[in-house]
Amino acid sequence: SVRPWDSNSDGAEIPDFFFFALQVDIHIMTQPPSGEWVYFDTEIANSSGRVSYMIPEQRRLGIGVYPVKMVVRGDHTYADSYITVLPRGTEFVVFSIDGSFAASVSIMGSDPKVRAGAVDVVRHWQELGYLNIYVTGRPDMQKQRVVAWLERLLFPHGIVSFCDGLVHDPLRHKANFLKSLVTDVSRIRSGFKQTQSGWARSPSKRL
């Protein structure tokens, strides 16, 4: 089955290979969860191993969650990801992972405890019918570790936003991501972060 965990990264890492000038074939499962992989295009990975691709208008996808597989020509190493297509006007709730769900700053090298009530807060909004979006200032190279941590603690499924690699200002990344959501999707119903006195809720934002 397709699990709608996703990243907002423009590209994905192709592991254990020298990336520069490598050709990467982009395949999308256009009829998930058991449909065939459809070849879309071939792009050149940059020196960081990332691939950027814009789906052409004539091949635009309908509303849903679509598995993506990027395969390196030659040794056939690959990276898996997902594309989530939302209807305009989707209402969603945003949760900050860093210092909110996790009791420590970094998930790398440790297994931080989850803050009391965190899972219940997310489940409450999911039961009301809102889409959950998790935002983190961590680099996308930690994607598997962070997603596994969320799943193991039974956080409801949602979209996860990571930084594109290591950045000097993760808070600015979060702010820019939220601005893009308001522009593209139309409405943030609410946002949450953990404070010393409890859970802090931000007001909704509508265009």
Side-chain angles (χ1 to χ4, degrees):
S1 62
V2 176
R3 298 178 302 179
W5 294 102
D6 198 11
S7 160
N8 74 312
S9 174
D10 290 334
E13 293 182 339
I14 311 292
D16 301 325
F17 207 82
F18 181 70
F19 306 109
F20 186 70
L22 289 182
Q23 293 182 315
V24 179
D25 293 333
I26 300 171
H27 304 264
I28 301 176
M29 186 181 293
T30 57
Q31 295 183 350
S34 58
E36 296 182 356
W37 290 100
V38 178
Y39 168 77
F40 268 64
D41 210 337
T42 300
E43 295 289 338
I44 303 298
N46 64 19
S47 58
S48 298
R50 299 178 183 277
V51 172
S52 296
Y53 177 67
M54 181 72 70
I55 296 177
E57 181 68 24
Q58 64 272 22
R59 304 189 72 176
R60 65 185 302 179
L61 302 170
I63 295 170
V65 180
Y66 300 89
V68 179
K69 188 178 293 290
M70 290 161 280
V71 183
V72 177
R73 289 191 179 183
D75 71 345
H76 301 293
T77 53
Y78 63 90
D80 290 318
S81 189
Y82 294 93
I83 292 177
T84 303
V85 182
L86 302 174
R88 185 166 294 277
T90 296
E91 292 189 323
F92 52 91
V93 180
V94 179
F95 300 92
S96 174
I97 296 176
D98 309 286
S100 298
F101 292 163
S104 62
V105 175
S106 177
I107 287 181
M108 293 296 288
S110 64
D111 185 14
K113 295 181 180 179
V114 63
R115 291 187 184 274
V119 177
D120 292 335
V121 170
V122 181
R123 286 178 178 171
H124 167 75
W125 287 96
Q126 183 190 47
E127 291 171 357
L128 292 177
Y130 294 100
L131 173 68
N132 298 317
I133 296 183
Y134 303 94
V135 181
T136 175
R138 296 180 174 89
D140 50 8
M141 65 184 68
Q142 293 190 26
K143 177 181 178 180
Q144 290 184 341
R145 184 183 295 268
V146 173
V147 168
W149 183 81
L150 291 168
E151 289 183 323
R152 185 176 59 79
L153 293 170
L154 302 180
F155 278 96
H157 288 167
I159 297 173
V160 187
S161 167
F162 292 86
C163 290
D164 295 333
L166 297 173
V167 297
H168 297 293
D169 191 352
L171 293 180
R172 177 176 295 180
H173 159 79
K174 289 183 178 181
N176 290 337
F177 175 64
L178 293 178
K179 290 179 182 178
S180 72
L181 288 177
V182 173
T183 300
D184 296 338
V185 183
S186 170
R187 187 177 186 187
I188 298 176
R189 179 62 179 85
S190 192
F192 288 86
K193 66 178 180 179
Q194 178 74 18
T195 66
Q196 292 182 349
S197 59
W199 287 95
R201 175 181 173 184
S202 300
S204 62
K205 176 73 173 180
R206 184 194 294 270
L207 280 180

